[in-house]
């Protein structure tokens, strides 16, 4: 290779990598601090030597690239792969100004800074300034699109430098030198002081020993070295080219030291160590141009290329920044979790695409809408004529005090969007035409228009939920659903009983399609509608009659229960392969076994239940041929005569009689029975402590409020997560990130301004979760706080999501003899119980003897079940689990029952000492004790089987929470007892002599889960 | 005493986690040099933190590179938007060598974070292109070895969900932790039956030997000793 025209030295461009985190932090900075201020911001980029054989290193912008808050600025630690590089960000407020930025002069301005630093010598002290960079951007924060362009100003040498030679460093150095150079580089890189200095000198003495020096020491290095190389961290991976930083480095070298021949060293790494096979050594020839002086800044280049073109880049981060999208994915995740964990065959697509029409937006309508949301149903239309009255918000869970006077159909839609922004919901303000309510001829047109609208609404929806408060208003929708063969679900309640049913298919034999014969067969067995019951001769008039009622005085717990069951029924129908034609199952008898049809358990026709008796039964009623709403006669008359038929029905109360040959039964006797003995003062003065403000906590507080309880304290440690609002009825989308204990209080006040509610953000200390010495004080302080909270309240609700967190409250309640109500959820089953009185024989008051007697029979606590030999392991064991996937309908039911239990205890003359009653057997008759019906000890139920039973469990002598041994130990030793229990997992078992029994109990598997809270992330929802 | 030394119930305390995390990072460094090292990221300035201020943090391995063939270059609207802006060029400079990546690299960040509610470690991860564009789960699945994909499909304890990173407050993917306690219990019981207790220092190694497979990170067997 003879003398050849020297080639121009080319520098491989540097590329930028702007991370998501940078834009996230920049967005907050822009929104919270900068506003429309568009002055440039100093930022820090990060770079390092190339460490991958095929990929160059980038100049990276991270969230910490932006100026930090004052207090955290000290935090930055030097990181070998994150060498800081100074930069500047010009963010514009409009796309126009972004486009109109004078990029060339911005680039020149930065190049001038580099040049000035070279001249002043600053670049020798802090060589990173040679790699100074520039970013222009336009952040579209409405659509989360960021347009940006990065420039790495490079000073143009005139004439350009030429390359004499370039080869791998391992070839340039002798092997001895190479070893020494590697070692020296590794030392440089491993020292916190030098690792982030990207430009340096490599000097190799004649005895092959290498050392790395700062470039400011150049003068000192003269003379006594055989080889002196200008080293730099090379981000480029290419084996034939040096990277971009060399460019300004050469400008510095030429300008400072007037060197014509420069030997440079491109330092590259593998796996965190110097790699001299990939590092390069080259020789460049730099010609000094005549007219150069310190004052004239060289030309500069450096705007980044985007896929080979000189264009800006843009990134869309809507998926990770749009809170609505994030809420959608959080909520979907929750539903998926349900399918993954418990219901692999659940078809979520059906649910998310179904359109539901809710007739009535009152107590039931609100409840139903919330639970529909919990199941992932996104499309809900409300039809209601009324406005929110001042008494509504405490009962009707979609309204707050502010909504009073607003149309319900409007307020409900607004609320759904607040809870979950992705809801597609609309409201129709309309009265439903009713038979037997004559109208004048002027009104005819508007009534017929309403009918038309209702018909259109029913046609355009997949399922209709009849939730109005009069029986007559259900007639036209029932008829229209039967006509259009739409799924109709009916929910209704009396004072303390409820009825939920699904209508069967319409009498489709009328349609003249080909499936006529098939359909006729099915029709023979089609299920009845709400009005069929009126005419099928009832065998038991008490349980079979419809519960029409106008005056909506009901027990507060009924609506959540009936609403939950109505939605469960709808979901069951939607998931059933036969859909609307599915047969009615019964929970108990013969066909109770055919669960296979639906992944969700049995699918009954009707469910009726009573809160006073804690009973729940499933019923089956076939369609009646002489039904006034769904019979063939009526439907064909409607099809033939249309409007005229409807008008006649509206104007003539007895119109259907001749057709159906039977009189409609008189309106059912008023189910609202007064409760003269109910003591409301007890309720309004009671103070409730709710441990846990998750799904159950929200539900319980709402029902408490409805019973007139005004004083509620929440204890919770968690924050509202994106997925929470659809299930946890006190929160809206806006509350996300807020502490639950705070958001819940706020929400109660919005519902009912007179609430006296407070929230405590606190974790409940748990046994068997060891803590360090340092934490002891704070944990004991938490114990003390909890104990004081329990002392100062009358009732404690245990609604946390772990079993352990219930232990300390159970113990403290037993000690203080406070009423404790426990509710826990599995995937499709629930358990609600009240704790018995504490082992007060320990106290030395005068009633000792009396109390001792009672004690013999005192009721068990949540932990007593663990040790009382379970007779039925499936129904008797406690519900443990953390992953909180439950069926959406469970929490309303369990929450309502928990409050029912409390109210009954409060009204019972013996209070906490009241015996446990059972709904069915011998002592089912003693309703007289309490004005509200029976008072069981435990209630367990399953939604998939539509079953519910009451249980009775006595306190165990070796219970880990409420036994005399434990309580007296606590009284004697106080804190040291608590610490022992917290730190030593087996302490309690040892104390109560339980260890062996416990082992036996452990062998039962844990497929039950605890409350809910679906918060995957925030989690400690206590 | 007993809790500091060995794992019995499949869970960890926050302090045990930081002990186990450092042990894991050290072992990784010595046995797994082809990967970047894990580093402990301490948390500073969490103003609302009530109790243990001392050892909170998470383990982080960032910028693990997976090269993918260029065929599926992420179709981004950026290019369409972008063309409008190209205008007169800077003076042509022969000293520029425009680097065109022949390989589109995908970068992965992995964080091992302690979940206080489950009391187990949780794997958070994300993937992104060099320009910072996050990768969707579908793209990520293409990067994973086929055994990981089938593991994801079959095992009900290893599903990936997207959630907010507890410290960074940005959505990351995570491996849902709700089964972790159970299978760690199984693992530790099998080691108990083999005559030894699983020391806390090995917790993360055992845990990661299962979890890592899901995201295509294997650990050498020597690490388990």
């Amino acid at each position: 290779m003879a003398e050849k025209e020297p080639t121009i030295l080319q520098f491989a461009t540097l590329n930028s990598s702007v991370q998501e985190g940078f834009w996230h932090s920049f967005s907050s900075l822009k929104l919270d601090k900068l506003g429309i201020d568009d002055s440039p911001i100093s930022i820090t980029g990060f770079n390092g030597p190339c460490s991958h054989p095929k990929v160059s290193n980038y100049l990276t912008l991270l969230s910490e690239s932006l100026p930090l808050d004052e207090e955290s600025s000290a935090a930055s630690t030097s990181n070998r792969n994150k060498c800081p590089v100074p930069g500047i960000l010009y963010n514009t407020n409009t796309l126009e100004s972004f486009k109109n930025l004078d990029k060339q002069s911005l680039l020149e301005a930065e190049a001038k800074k580099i040049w000035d630093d070279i001249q002043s010598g600053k670049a020798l002290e802090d060589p990173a300034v040679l790699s100074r960079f520039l970013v222009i951007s336009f952040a579209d924060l409405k659509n989360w699109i960021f347009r940006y362009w990065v420039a790495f100003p490079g000073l143009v040498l005139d004439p350009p430098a030429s390359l004499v030679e370039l080869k791998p460093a391992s070839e340039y150095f002798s092997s001895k030198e190479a070893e020494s150079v590697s070692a020296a580089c590794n030392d440089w890189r491993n020292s916190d002081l030098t690792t982030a200095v990207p430009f340096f000198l490599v000097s190799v003495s004649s005895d092959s020993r290498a050392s790395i020096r700062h470039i400011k020491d150049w003068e000192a290095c003269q003379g006594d070295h055989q080889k002196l190389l200008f080293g730099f961290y090379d981000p480029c991976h290419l084996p034939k080219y040096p990277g971009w930083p060399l460019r300004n480095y050469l400008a510095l070298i030429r300008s400072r030291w007037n060197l014509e021949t420069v030997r440079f060293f491109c330092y590259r790494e593998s796996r965190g160590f110097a790699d001299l096979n990939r590092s390069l050594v080259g020789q460049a020839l730099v010609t000094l141009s005549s007219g150069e002086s310190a004052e004239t800044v060289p030309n500069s280049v450096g705007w980044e290329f985007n896929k080979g073109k000189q264009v800006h880049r843009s990134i869309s981060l809507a998926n990770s920044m749009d809170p609505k999208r994030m809420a959608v994915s959080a909520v979907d995740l929750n539903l998926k979790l349900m399918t993954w964990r418990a219901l692999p065959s659940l078809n979520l697509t059906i649910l998310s695409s179904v359109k539901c029409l809710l007739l009535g937006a009152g107590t039931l309508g609100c409840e139903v809408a919330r639970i529909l949301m919990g199941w992932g149903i996104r499309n809900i239309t409300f039809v209601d004529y009324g406005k929110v009255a001042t008494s509504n918000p405490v009962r009707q869970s979609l309204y707050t005090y502010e909504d009073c006077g607003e149309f319900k159909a409007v307020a409900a839609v607004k609320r759904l969007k607040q809870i979950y922004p992705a809801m597609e919901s609309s409201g129709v303000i309309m009265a439903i035409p009713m038979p037997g309510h004559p109208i004048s001829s002027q009104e005819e047109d508007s009534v017929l228009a309403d009918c038309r609208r209702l018909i259109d609404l029913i046609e355009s929806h997949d399922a209709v939920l009849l939730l109005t408060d009069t029986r007559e208003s259900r007639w036209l929708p029932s008829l229209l659903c039967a006509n259009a063969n739409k799924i109709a679900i009916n929910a209704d309640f009396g004072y303390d009983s409820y009825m939920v049913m699904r209508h069967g298919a319409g009498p489709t034999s009328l349609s003249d399609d080909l499936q006529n014969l098939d359909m006729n067969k099915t029709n023979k067995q089609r299920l009845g509608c709400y009005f069929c019951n009126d005419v099928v001769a009832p065998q038991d008039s008490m349980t079979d009659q419809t519960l029409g009622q106008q005056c909506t005085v009901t027990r507060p717990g009924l609506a959540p229960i009936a609403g939950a069951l109505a939605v469960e029924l709808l979901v069951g129908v939607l998931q059933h392969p036969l859909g609307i034609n599915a047969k009615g199952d019964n929970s108990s008898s013969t066909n109770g076994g055919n669960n296979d049809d639906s992944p969700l358990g049995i699918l009954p026709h009707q469910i009726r239940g009573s809160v006073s008796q804690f009973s729940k039964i499933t019923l089956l009623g076939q369609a009646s041929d002489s039904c006034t709403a769904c019979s063939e006669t009526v439907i064909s008359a409607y099809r033939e005569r249309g409007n005229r038929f409807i008008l006649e029905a509206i104007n003539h109360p007895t119109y259907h009689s001749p057709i159906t040959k039977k009189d409609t039964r008189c309106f059912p006797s008023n189910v609202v029975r007064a409760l003269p003995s109910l003591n409301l003062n007890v309720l309004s003065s009671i103070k409730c402590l709710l441990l846990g403000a998750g799904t159950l906590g929200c539900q319980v507080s709402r029902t408490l409020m409805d019973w007139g309880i005004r004083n509620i304290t929440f204890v919770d440690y968690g924050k509202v997560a994106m997925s929470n609002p659809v299930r946890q009825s006190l929160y809206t989308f806006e509350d996300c990130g807020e502490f639950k204990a705070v958001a819940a209080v706020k929400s109660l006040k919005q519902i009912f301004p007179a609430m006296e509610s407070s929230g405590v953000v606190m974790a409940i200390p748990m046994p068997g979760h060891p803590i360090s010495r340092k934490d002891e004080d704070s944990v004991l302080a938490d114990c003390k706080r909890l104990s004081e909270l329990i002392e100062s309240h009358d009732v404690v609700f245990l609604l946390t999501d772990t079993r352990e967190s219930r232990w300390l409250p159970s113990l403290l309640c037993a000690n203080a003899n406070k009423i404790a109500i426990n509710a826990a959820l599995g995937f499709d089953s629930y358990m609600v119980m009240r704790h018995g009185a504490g082992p007060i024989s320990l106290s030395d008051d005068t009633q000792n003897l009396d109390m001792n007697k009672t004690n013999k029979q005192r009721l068990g606590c949540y932990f007593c079940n663990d040790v009382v030999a379970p007779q039925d392991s499936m129904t008797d064991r406690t519900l443990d689990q953390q992953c909180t996937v439950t069926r959406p309908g469970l929490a309303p039911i369990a929450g309502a029952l928990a409050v029912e239990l409390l109210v009954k205890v409060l009204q019972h003359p013996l209070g906490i000492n009241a015996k446990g009653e059972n709904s069915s057997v011998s002592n089912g008759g003693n309703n007289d004790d309490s004005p509200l019906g029976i008072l069981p000890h435990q209630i367990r139920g399953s939604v998939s089987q539509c079953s519910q039973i009451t249980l009775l469990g006595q306190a165990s002598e070796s219970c880990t929470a409420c036994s005399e041994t434990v309580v007296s130990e606590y009284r004697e030793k106080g804190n040291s007892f608590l610490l022992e229990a917290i730190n030593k997992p087996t302490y309690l078992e040892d104390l109560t002599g339980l260890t062996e029994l416990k082992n036996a109990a452990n062998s039962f598997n844990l497929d039950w889960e605890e409350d809910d809270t679906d918060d995957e992330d925030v989690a400690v929802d206590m | 005493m007993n809790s500091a030394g060995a794992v019995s119930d499949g869970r960890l305390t926050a302090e045990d986690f930081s002990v186990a995390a450092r042990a894991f990072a050290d072992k990784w460094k010595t046995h797994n040099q082809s990967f970047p090292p894990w580093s402990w990221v301490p948390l500073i300035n969490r103003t609302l933190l009530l109790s243990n201020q001392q050892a909170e943090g998470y383990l982080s391995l960032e910028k693990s590179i997976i090269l993918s063939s260029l065929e599926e270059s992420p179709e981004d609207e950026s290019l369409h938007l972008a063309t409008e802006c190209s205008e007169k060029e800077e003076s042509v400079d022969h000293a520029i060598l425009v680097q065109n990546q022949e390989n589109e690299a995908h970068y992965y960040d992995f964080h091992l974070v302690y979940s206080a509610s489950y009391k187990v470690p949780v794997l958070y991860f994300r993937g992104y292109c060099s320009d910072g564009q996050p990768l969707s789960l579908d793209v990520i699945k293409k990067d994973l070895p086929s055994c990981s994909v089938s593991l994801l499909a079959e095992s009900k304890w290893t599903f990936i969900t997207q959630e907010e990173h507890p410290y960074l407050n940005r959505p990351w993917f995570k491996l849902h932790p709700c089964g972790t306690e159970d299978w760690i219990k199984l693992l530790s019981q099998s080691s108990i039956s083999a005559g030894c207790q699983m020391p806390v220092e090995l917790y993360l190694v055992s845990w990661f030997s299962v979890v890592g497979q899901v995201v295509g990170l294997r650990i050498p067997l020597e690490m388990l000793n």
Side-chain angles (χ1 to χ4, degrees), chain A residues 530-640:
Chain A
Y530 187 72
F531 292 89
C532 290
N533 281 343
D534 286 355
V535 284
V536 170
Q539 290 174 313
D540 172 353
S541 68
M542 274 310 287
T543 50
D544 271 7
Q545 79 194 2
T546 53
L547 301 166
Q549 30 98 28
Q550 282 187 305
C551 178
T552 47
V553 184
T554 65
R555 275 160 82 140
L558 281 179
I561 297 176
L565 292 174
V567 177
E568 292 292 333
L569 216 47
L570 171 63
V571 172
V573 174
L574 291 173
Q575 296 288 329
H576 197 284
L578 293 177
I580 194 173
N581 296 309
K583 277 188 305 179
D585 300 328
N586 273 324
S587 56
S588 43
S589 53
T590 47
N591 55 350
N594 59 350
N595 294 11
D596 334 282
D597 287 330
S598 163
L600 292 164
I602 65 162
L603 179 57
H605 175 226
Q606 298 178 26
I607 306 162
R608 281 166 190 257
S610 143
V611 185
S612 73
Q613 296 301 309
F614 287 109
S615 62
K616 186 152 93 180
I617 52 165
T618 57
L619 292 167
L620 178 64
Q622 304 297 1
S624 156
D625 284 341
S626 47
C627 172
T628 56
C630 78
S631 64
E632 200 175 316
T633 347
V634 172
I635 299 287
S636 60
Y638 164 70
R639 289 197 181 179
E640 267 167 40

Side-chain angles (χ1 to χ4, degrees), chain A residues 694-715:
Chain A
T695 314
L696 275 172
C698 290
Q699 205 64 46
V700 165
S701 63
R702 279 191 179 272
T703 315
L704 285 173
M705 207 162 37
D706 202 357
W707 272 107
I709 286 159
R710 294 289 164 254
N711 203 313
I712 296 176
T713 305
F714 293 95
V715 176

Side-chain angles (χ1 to χ4, degrees), chain B residues 33-46:
Chain B
Q33 292 187 349
S34 59
F35 276 94
W38 290 88
S39 57
W40 177 259
V41 182
L43 289 176
I44 8 110
N45 266 331
R46 302 256 298 150

Side-chain angles (χ1 to χ4, degrees), chain A residues 356-568:
Chain A
C356 291
L357 180 64
L358 270 57
L359 303 180
T363 316
L364 269 174
C366 291
E367 213 59 53
V368 164
R370 280 191 178 271
I371 302 161
L372 286 173
M373 262 196 303
W375 272 107
I377 287 162
R378 299 283 161 258
N379 205 313
I380 295 177
T381 306
F382 294 95
V383 175
D384 199 295
Y385 188 61
K387 291 185 178 176
V388 180
T390 44
S391 65
N392 290 156
V394 292
R395 293 217 151 184
Q396 307 189 356
S397 64
L398 291 178
Y399 310 122
T400 62
Y401 188 71
E402 264 189 2
D403 296 324
C404 292
E406 177 66 278
F407 280 106
K408 287 184 179 179
V410 174
V413 168
K414 195 184 72 187
R415 191 67 173 171
L416 290 194
K417 295 242 176 204
Q418 283 172 355
I419 294 168
Y420 184 52
M423 282 302 288
E424 286 169 35
S425 176
S426 59
V428 178
I429 301 164
M430 180 179 103
I432 295 171
M434 295 189 270
H437 290 234
I439 49 169
S440 66
S441 50
Q442 296 108 304
E443 290 170 316
E444 267 181 22
D445 283 349
S446 81
V447 169
L448 285 177
D450 283 347
C451 291
R452 187 69 247 162
R453 240 161 123 198
L454 188 61
I455 291 166
D456 292 343
L457 282 170
I458 288 176
E459 286 290 342
S460 61
H461 286 76
D462 305 302
V464 182
L465 290 114
L466 283 72
L467 312 166
T468 55
D469 57 357
T470 63
R471 188 169 162 276
E472 302 96 291
S473 60
R474 296 170 194 240
W475 174 77
L476 185 58
S478 297
L479 183 151
L480 295 174
C481 288
N483 180 47
N485 211 21
K486 295 281 178 179
I487 297 169
I489 307 283
N490 223 313
D492 203 353
F493 45 73
Y495 169 69
D496 60 8
S497 53
Y498 55 87
M499 189 277 297
V500 175
M501 69 180 293
R502 58 190 172 102
H503 289 188
T508 34
S509 55
L510 294 165
S511 76
D512 43 12
D513 57 31
L514 295 172
Q515 296 152 311
N516 247 352
L517 288 175
D518 265 7
M519 282 307 175
N520 262 334
K521 258 190 202 161
T522 328
N523 271 338
K524 297 279 182 242
Q525 305 175 334
R526 70 190 178 89
L527 296 172
C529 76
Y530 187 72
F531 292 89
C532 290
N533 281 343
D534 286 355
V535 284
V536 170
Q539 290 174 313
D540 172 353
S541 68
M542 274 310 287
T543 50
D544 271 7
Q545 79 194 2
T546 53
L547 301 166
Q549 30 98 28
Q550 282 187 305
C551 178
T552 47
V553 184
T554 65
R555 275 160 82 140
L558 281 179
I561 297 176
L565 292 174
V567 177
E568 292 292 333

